Amino acid sequence: MNIKRKNLRIIPMLFLGLIYSCSPTVKVTTDYDHAANFSEYKTFAFYDLKAQEGQINQLNADRITKAIRAELINKGFTETTSNPDLKVNAVTILKNKTSVSANTDFYGYGGMYRPYGYWGGGAMMGGANTTFNSYDYVDGSLIIDIVSSKTQKLIWQGIGNAQIDSKPDNPEEFVGNSIKKILAGFPPGSAKK
């Protein structure tokens, strides 16, 4: 019986190990102007995407611009500086956060649990031990705004958010994959099924 309990404890630990060993997962939300006719847009240009002070460095600003450019060109848009149909802006928001979790282990023999399934009554013999764990991480968001040059109104927005525990092994790949995921729904109705 002790062997089974040990095996059952190992399974969640392996599962958590797999989750934390992977690169950050990007959660994406999008919104758009349902009245906009996206088929009329063919060209784009960037707003000035300078590195935002205290947010990202110039290397990452360049990675973001390069990845957005590649994704839009791959979708059939043409980059131009002369009277573009769309203007693209990207904003990053990075916040340092701390996560705290508590784990309580009950030990001893008493009324709360018995090996044969009895729950309740009786005097508790033993006790409990609660441990608190905390770790620091960065909550990172990348917001991509696409504006109609003709109306100067926002027509599409995609937001990618990830909890970043450490610097990605390959920042170029992480940024590229994140932007591909964010722009998957642009233009609306174009997502591959």
Side-chain angles (χ1 to χ4, degrees):
M1 186 136 172
N2 286 341
I3 294 172
K4 286 183 182 178
R5 284 188 185 168
K6 285 183 183 176
N7 286 341
L8 291 176
R9 288 184 196 147
I10 291 173
I11 291 170
M13 290 183 346
L14 288 173
F15 181 71
L16 288 173
L18 287 173
I19 290 173
Y20 288 114
S21 67
C22 300
S23 61
T25 302
V26 177
K27 295 177 214 139
V28 174
T29 57
T30 60
D31 194 11
Y32 65 95
D33 179 355
H34 292 266
N37 180 5
F38 286 89
S39 63
E40 70 184 32
Y41 304 118
K42 307 291 183 208
T43 60
F44 73 95
F46 285 99
Y47 281 101
D48 190 12
L49 300 181
K50 292 182 179 170
Q52 299 158 34
E53 190 172 326
Q55 292 294 306
I56 61 169
N57 62 36
Q58 189 61 50
L59 291 171
N60 285 327
D62 292 344
R63 287 180 181 118
I64 290 168
T65 304
K66 180 181 171 186
I68 293 172
R69 177 180 291 117
E71 205 50 38
L72 290 176
I73 290 171
N74 188 43
K75 290 175 175 282
F77 292 91
T78 305
E79 185 175 11
T80 182
T81 55
S82 171
N83 199 22
D85 299 327
L86 301 170
K87 292 244 181 145
V88 181
N89 191 34
V91 177
T92 57
I93 300 170
L94 303 175
K95 294 180 182 174
N96 293 321
K97 293 193 173 184
T98 301
S99 176
V100 179
S101 62
N103 184 27
T104 302
D105 293 321
F106 292 97
Y107 58 90
Y109 190 84
M112 292 194 71
Y113 174 76
R114 291 198 170 105
Y116 47 87
Y118 180 76
W119 184 276
M124 180 73 164
M125 295 168 52
N129 181 31
T130 301
T131 56
F132 294 90
N133 297 310
S134 68
Y135 72 94
D136 296 327
Y137 66 94
V138 174
D139 181 54
S141 295
L142 173 63
I143 303 166
I144 300 174
D145 291 332
I146 299 182
V147 174
S148 165
S149 295
K150 189 195 304 190
T151 64
Q152 294 300 309
K153 290 186 177 178
L154 180 69
I155 59 167
W156 188 90
Q157 182 179 69
I159 302 170
N161 181 268
Q163 179 176 312
I164 305 166
D165 295 4
S166 61
K167 182 181 174 192
D169 293 335
N170 186 341
E172 193 106 12
E173 182 181 345
F174 175 69
V175 168
N177 289 339
S178 299
I179 286 173
K180 185 175 221 140
K181 192 172 180 181
I182 295 168
L183 288 175
F186 179 80
S190 68
K192 295 177 183 173
K193 296 175 183 174

